[in-house]
Amino acid sequence: MMKQHTTNYINTFIEVAEDCPVMQADVPPQKGDKLSIANMQYNMLHDHPYRYSSDEVIFQCHAFKNELTNDEWDDAREQFFSRGQACLRASPLAKRYGFGIHHNEAGKVALYGRETKEYQRFCADKHIQKVKAMRSKRA
């Protein structure tokens, strides 16, 4: 078995990027009938808070985008995580669309718009780790 990397965090809050252009969370617009990574991530996390881990979200988006069949998932997942992958700090939801992403004690994730009380509460909570989403532009 190959070494497996993970994108999961525990008890961590990903704050929106410093250069995020919106002050209030925006639902990513869908262009045509193809879903973007932002659309897929939003649908999974908005509809099912704390159901998926970061690894599950990132891999399912990869599998959907690459049209993998269910039979291909196990091998593809092992292959996918044999190399390091970008975590949700690189998600367009946190970089562009104004969503913070909370990872609970079980490593499951949920979205919080930057304008919400919950977002502010996570930012102020000294018991959880905070990391910023990656910037879109170099400083």
Side-chain angles (χ1 to χ4, degrees):
M1 171 129 169
M2 328 178 199
K3 176 176 178 5
Q4 294 294 284
H5 297 266
T6 184
T7 65
N8 292 338
Y9 285 99
I10 303 294
N11 205 24
T12 300
F13 188 63
I14 299 174
E15 299 176 45
V16 299
E18 287 174 11
D19 61 351
C20 179
V22 298
M23 295 318 294
Q24 209 167 317
D26 269 342
V27 175
Q30 189 173 329
K31 298 176 180 97
D33 50 0
K34 277 267 195 232
L35 290 176
S36 67
I37 293 293
N39 295 138
M40 287 185 259
Q41 290 178 349
Y42 177 82
N43 292 344
M44 286 180 77
L45 297 175
H46 179 265
D47 297 346
H48 306 285
Y50 298 115
R51 178 173 178 180
Y52 300 106
S53 69
S54 173
D55 281 356
E56 290 168 326
V57 171
I58 288 169
F59 179 72
Q60 284 187 37
C61 291
H62 166 79
F64 184 79
K65 199 171 139 214
N66 291 286
E67 300 177 358
L68 301 180
T69 65
N70 287 351
D71 293 344
E72 297 172 302
W73 273 43
D74 287 344
D75 288 342
R77 186 182 172 95
E78 187 174 328
Q79 189 68 42
F80 185 73
F81 286 112
S82 69
R83 291 182 305 284
Q85 298 296 331
C87 69
L88 289 174
R89 287 183 57 218
S91 168
L93 296 176
K95 289 173 65 171
R96 159 72 187 87
Y97 294 104
F99 288 97
I101 304 168
H102 179 241
H103 298 68
N104 68 13
E105 300 79 27
K108 303 295 184 177
V109 293
L111 296 177
Y112 293 92
R114 75 184 309 177
E115 73 285 357
T116 64
K117 285 187 179 81
E118 293 88 351
Y119 182 97
Q120 300 308 321
R121 194 170 43 84
F122 285 125
C123 288
D125 188 336
K126 296 188 181 352
H127 298 99
I128 62 172
Q129 181 182 347
K130 263 100 45 212
V131 292
K132 289 259 189 219
M134 295 176 176
R135 299 170 62 94
S136 295
K137 297 172 182 67
R138 289 202 173 148

